Amino acid sequence: MNIDTPILIVGGGPVGLGLALDLGWRGVECLLIDELERDGYKNHPRANLVNSRTMEFCRRWGISERVKQVGTPPDYPHTAMYVTSLRGHLIARIERPSHGGGGKLAFTPEPPQRCNQIWFDPVLRERAEGFSSVALRYRWRFDSFTQGADGVISNVSDPATGESHAIHSLYLAACCGGRSPIRRILGIDRNEGEVLGAPISIYFRSQNLWDRHDKGKGVLHFIVGPTGVWATLNSLNGGDLWRVTLHGGAKEHAAHELIDHKDVLTRIIGAEFPYELISISPWVRKKLVTARYRRGRVFLAGDCAHQNTPTGGYGMNTGMGDAVDLGWKLAAALDGWAGPKLLDSYDAERRPVARHNVEEATRSFQLRSFAAIPELVESSPAGEAARKELGERIVENTSRELLSDGIAMGYRYERSPIVCADGSAPPPVSVTEYVQSTFPGARAPHVRLDDWRSMIDLFGRSFVMLRLGKDAPEVAPFETAAKRRGVPLQTTTIGDPAACFAYEKKLVLVRPDGHVAWRGDALPRNADAVIARVTGAP
């Protein structure tokens, strides 16, 4: 069977579904295929954190409330703690009251949530399936592709029936994970990245586990031994589902079927307790940012383009940023107003973000090991002193992985070929702190308007020219230039004093992804040149 689609997406994880959803939300036709019927990774729960920026994307797509409903309950604390065991000694506690359903942050209407892929992926899938322009085909295996000047021909097969299909698309988006066959066919990064470890995950069910110790409820429990963190206990749903990750070197835990899960879980809790084992799964901790995100009509996104240790929860969220950046640009290409540089800007914008996030995740992971402290687990004055010193060091040096608003919200595309620099000094970059700004390339700020909408609700489907204040210049030259080039542009006048202050300039041009493309207090000499640049025209 021969199939035609403008965009073929390979991979039905959160990044592939996010891209399909974003395209569907824009009315763009696409086809997603996946060899598995994933159903939320029920046998191997993966990402837990949905950071604020990803929640803002979910808000745009109309599913943020659904994500909150199916994730960790709003009254469950997002506390992280470092302990020798849950019935043993507390070393450090990091509270995160701004996270979760009841959390509040000044710079976003959407605080971070914990919603494991068990539930997050089905929410994305259900919304994507609701768009008539989106088709999802599971249990279809991607085999190979060829590309030419007029498109891509992908060969796929149905293992259940033995049927083969040829899919002709204008573009191919590889969202098919770290072992992507597409990246191999393209010949990019044949070494598959640097291995940082070979952990084991133990997935189990236990009721009211917090009643078996005195540390209270939490979502992250780092189990510390004399030489560092040797295991992590995650609450997956704020209830009865839990996952333990056993850390170690690249060769440790290789024979996962020999793991004594009862012994491991008893050591973590500090006493035996009733539980139901669901699965034990080995995996590989990697560090990789691929050398290219685009080759011809083929684009890489998510784990196919970058891989990092899950430390900090950056992986899936970085991938969702890929999906949104690529989504509006592919839509523009199909709509006919994208210049030749617009699709190239995907690599220029997203690879630096991945490099920064991968390095930060690696740094945080490496801080979990330290020189031996033999007395750390002792119930003695020396042990108490050692735990106090280590706890202070943990709070100072490693809590940044747990309070990383700068990573989630602060990335900006200042060196992008489709962003107009204005010569101003860039705001400082921080992992933990995020300060809103309209610096070119930054995310446009959130401000709560009088009708309780957020400013970010204005962005998504088109470019938006904001006129800030009653004396802001008229923008007819921009409107004329956009109309001549077929570029969707909406002009909005905002008089709210808080918005005028946050947006810094009288005129701010915001892209469909919610990032600032241009700003100024007066019209530029050539509005057409600005529109040309921000749409990738020559």
Side-chain angles (χ1 to χ4, degrees):
M1 181 167 58
N2 294 323
I3 301 169
D4 289 293
T5 183
I7 301 170
L8 174 63
I9 301 168
V10 180
V15 176
L17 287 169
L19 177 56
L21 203 166
D22 194 70
L23 291 169
W25 184 76
R26 299 179 188 283
V28 176
E29 182 182 347
C30 64
L31 168 64
L32 180 151
I33 66 169
D34 195 296
E35 187 173 357
L36 303 174
E37 187 79 25
R38 292 172 181 259
D39 200 17
Y41 297 97
K42 286 184 178 177
N43 293 323
H44 189 133
R46 300 191 180 186
N48 289 296
L49 174 66
V50 184
N51 73 17
S52 288
R53 190 59 174 144
T54 300
M55 284 300 298
E56 289 182 352
F57 301 150
C58 292
R59 179 187 181 95
R60 179 185 303 171
W61 298 328
I63 58 174
S64 59
E65 291 305 313
R66 181 63 179 154
V67 172
K68 295 172 189 176
Q69 290 170 4
V70 302
T72 296
D75 60 347
Y76 192 92
H78 286 219
T79 302
M81 58 187 82
Y82 288 74
V83 296
T84 57
S85 73
L86 283 172
R87 294 181 61 140
H89 302 288
L90 177 67
I91 298 172
R93 181 188 297 272
I94 299 168
E95 303 290 356
R96 298 185 289 176
S98 61
H99 287 219
K104 294 186 182 300
L105 290 167
F107 50 76
T108 179
E110 299 292 346
Q113 304 294 324
R114 286 183 68 84
C115 183
N116 193 277
Q117 281 182 251
I118 297 172
W119 305 282
F120 185 59
D121 288 9
V123 171
L124 295 173
R125 175 176 173 173
E126 180 182 13
R127 181 64 170 139
E129 288 177 326
F131 295 108
S132 60
S133 61
V134 176
L136 307 180
R137 297 290 182 267
Y138 291 92
R139 302 190 183 280
W140 280 19
R141 183 180 64 215
F142 181 89
D143 295 319
S144 64
F145 76 92
T146 58
Q147 65 170 316
D150 61 344
V152 183
I153 298 178
S154 301
N155 300 303
V156 307
S157 57
D158 184 340
T161 65
E163 295 178 328
S164 296
H165 311 294
I167 301 177
H168 180 270
S169 61
L170 294 176
Y171 302 102
L172 170 63
C175 307
C176 40
R179 297 180 179 179
S180 169
I182 296 174
R183 192 178 69 230
R184 292 196 192 102
I185 294 170
L186 291 173
I188 299 175
D189 300 317
R190 293 183 183 275
N191 65 1
E192 298 295 328
E194 177 185 349
V195 174
L196 301 177
I200 292 288
S201 290
I202 303 174
Y203 178 27
F204 67 98
R205 186 188 308 275
S206 183
Q207 299 285 345
N208 300 331
L209 194 55
W210 49 82
D211 287 341
R212 302 186 178 278
H213 59 84
D214 62 354
K215 307 299 186 296
K217 294 180 178 180
V219 294
L220 284 167
H221 311 81
F222 300 99
I223 314 303
V224 184
T227 59
V229 175
W230 63 271
T232 305
L233 172 67
N234 278 268
S235 170
L236 300 183
N237 63 346
D240 62 341
L241 293 179
W242 304 83
R243 182 185 64 209
V244 163
T245 299
L246 293 177
H247 306 295
K251 296 182 179 180
E252 221 171 317
H253 309 314
H256 66 280
E257 67 275 6
L258 301 179
I259 292 292
D260 186 341
H261 52 85
K262 181 177 181 181
D263 176 68
V264 169
L265 297 181
T266 299
R267 288 170 60 199
I268 287 172
I269 303 303
E272 292 186 9
F273 66 99
Y275 67 91
E276 172 196 348
L277 179 68
I278 300 174
S279 66
I280 298 178
S281 304
W283 52 282
V284 179
R285 195 186 299 270
K286 284 189 176 182
K287 173 185 177 182
L288 169 70
V289 178
T290 190
R292 300 179 65 170
Y293 275 25
R294 178 191 185 188
R295 181 162 286 172
R297 293 177 173 270
V298 182
F299 299 84
L300 311 182
D303 283 357
C304 186
H306 48 81
Q307 297 169 55
N308 56 267
T309 170
T311 311
Y314 307 147
M316 182 192 74
N317 293 291
T318 305
M320 295 300 280
D322 298 343
V324 169
D325 190 89
L326 185 57
W328 77 270
K329 292 171 182 176
L330 287 174
L334 294 176
D335 286 345
W337 55 266
K341 297 180 182 179
L342 189 68
L343 290 179
D344 280 340
S345 71
Y346 169 64
D347 182 288
E349 293 185 347
R350 293 305 303 169
R351 264 203 317 133
V353 175
R355 283 198 300 266
H356 181 261
N357 292 359
V358 169
E359 289 299 329
E360 180 60 28
T362 303
R363 173 197 174 277
S364 294
F365 172 67
Q366 291 172 341
L367 283 173
R368 292 184 180 176
S369 299
F370 44 77
I373 309 174
E375 62 273 24
L376 190 68
V377 297
E378 296 178 1
S379 298
S380 65
E384 185 176 347
R387 289 187 291 274
K388 182 176 184 298
E389 180 183 352
L390 178 61
E392 291 172 351
R393 195 166 62 196
I394 286 171
V395 171
E396 180 180 357
N397 295 329
T398 70
S399 62
R400 59 192 277 167
E401 74 172 88
L402 304 170
L403 299 167
S404 53
D405 294 327
I407 287 278
M409 309 291 287
Y411 61 87
R412 54 183 186 250
Y413 305 136
E414 58 190 284
R415 294 183 177 86
S416 170
I418 62 167
V419 167
C420 299
D422 64 358
S424 60
V429 175
S430 168
V431 170
T432 57
E433 302 297 326
Y434 170 63
V435 178
Q436 298 197 110
S437 171
T438 56
F439 183 80
R443 162 196 172 268
H446 154 71
V447 178
R448 186 71 70 180
L449 299 174
D450 290 339
D451 57 4
W452 285 98
R453 288 183 304 161
S454 166
M455 285 286 287
I456 68 170
D457 296 334
L458 302 176
F459 314 133
R461 297 191 182 278
S462 68
F463 280 87
V464 176
M465 174 59 77
L466 294 173
R467 299 178 62 249
L468 284 307
K470 295 180 180 179
D471 60 343
E474 295 294 335
V475 293
F478 275 107
E479 295 170 335
T480 299
K483 184 176 181 180
R484 181 165 56 246
R485 292 178 176 272
V487 177
L489 174 67
Q490 177 184 344
T491 299
T492 301
T493 300
I494 301 291
D496 183 271
C500 294
F501 177 79
Y503 275 72
E504 304 173 275
K505 301 289 184 179
K506 295 180 180 179
L507 299 176
V508 178
L509 180 63
V510 181
R511 309 184 329 179
D513 62 347
H515 283 256
V516 175
W518 173 91
R519 67 176 182 174
D521 284 321
L523 288 172
R525 293 181 181 179
N526 188 341
D528 186 73
V530 172
I531 295 296
R533 181 179 178 90
V534 301
T535 58

